[in-house]
Amino acid sequence: MAQFRLHGSKVLAVDMTGDAVKAKNGSMVAYEGEMAFKKMTGGGDGLRGMVTRRLTGESMEVMEVKGQGTCYFADRASEINLVTLRGETLYVEASNLLCTDSALRTGTTFTGLRGASQGNGLFTTTVEGSGQAAILSDGSAIILRVTPQTPLQVDPGAYIAHTGRLKQHFQSGVNFRTFMGEGSGEAFQIRFEGEGLVYVQPSERNTVGGDI
């Protein structure tokens, strides 16, 4: 199995001995050894995956990298976070997914109003199985644990990904900017309940409700 390691905080090094990984198209910045690159359709899920992603609006351009040596990946100097999956599912925005073990399965799932609030459609990408994945964040991500006793509210624009048995509730609310008169619309939040981890970045995307 390919070995993922960080080379600094903004470059992913993947050591391969005949293994393969799936990575964001165009994210290779250097490699040592012998590598072969092949563009994949449908986020690496073939024709069915391509049709599904077109219907759901969850865009994902992926390439397969296979070989002997070390390949280095990066994307616009974004911070990189490693996630180890042991049979569970990672839910992640397609734009935040950098690289996965080839054995991991990717797909899409309905996310309800949370996706609409971000302008990213109603679906998000899923990564399932056992292996490693690398996700991107604008700034150093924080990982917040959710338990039945400690639910979590997250700004939709700062959300990156989550794992575990979590339920999401999209709700309106107010925040500091609203009180200061700096909000450009209604403030929205995602409420996570259950047991799991949520990845949040210290930078906010624009949403339907404006900068929140």
Side-chain angles (χ1 to χ4, degrees):
M1 182 177 291
Q3 298 298 312
F4 286 38
R5 55 188 173 86
L6 292 181
H7 197 281
S9 63
K10 298 180 180 180
V11 177
L12 171 68
V14 181
D15 301 316
M16 288 179 273
T17 55
D19 315 281
V21 296
K22 292 184 288 187
K24 177 178 285 191
N25 197 36
S27 62
M28 186 277 293
V29 294
Y31 68 87
E32 301 163 345
E34 298 293 329
M35 297 288 165
F37 302 85
K38 180 175 68 175
K39 186 175 181 180
M40 306 180 75
T41 60
D45 301 305
L47 180 61
R48 181 177 180 181
M50 181 172 64
V51 172
T52 299
R53 290 183 183 280
R54 284 184 176 178
L55 291 174
T56 61
E58 182 70 356
S59 178
M60 185 176 167
E61 296 292 333
V62 173
M63 62 181 178
E64 180 187 67
V65 183
K66 184 176 182 178
Q68 298 268 355
T70 301
C71 196
Y72 301 89
F73 302 94
D75 186 59
R76 301 179 184 179
S78 297
E79 299 284 333
I80 300 173
N81 311 270
L82 297 183
V83 181
T84 300
L85 298 177
R86 297 181 176 88
E88 66 261 57
T89 301
L90 170 70
Y91 301 85
V92 58
E93 298 300 323
S95 60
N96 292 101
L97 184 59
L98 176 64
C99 187
T100 69
D101 282 324
S102 61
L104 292 174
R105 303 177 302 278
T106 55
T108 56
T109 189
F110 180 72
T111 58
L113 292 174
R114 180 188 61 74
S117 74
Q118 294 179 209
N120 290 344
L122 298 176
F123 295 79
T124 197
T125 293
T126 58
V127 182
E128 300 177 83
S130 296
Q132 284 192 292
I135 60 177
L136 301 164
S137 62
D138 186 2
S140 298
I142 58 173
I143 306 172
L144 302 173
R145 181 171 294 279
V146 180
T147 71
Q149 295 75 35
T150 56
L152 178 70
Q153 274 73 229
V154 175
D155 185 322
Y159 168 84
I160 302 172
H162 74 270
T163 59
R165 297 183 177 181
L166 294 176
K167 293 183 178 180
Q168 302 176 58
H169 304 283
F170 183 74
Q171 62 186 32
S172 61
V174 294
N175 61 12
F176 179 74
R177 293 187 188 181
T178 305
F179 283 119
M180 295 299 292
E182 297 179 2
S184 56
E186 185 179 8
F188 299 102
Q189 298 171 348
I190 317 166
R191 180 180 174 89
F192 288 94
E193 298 176 348
E195 189 82 38
L197 300 174
V198 178
Y199 294 76
V200 179
Q201 66 182 5
S203 176
E204 298 170 292
R205 307 177 186 90
N206 288 331
T207 66
V208 171
D211 295 328
I212 57 177

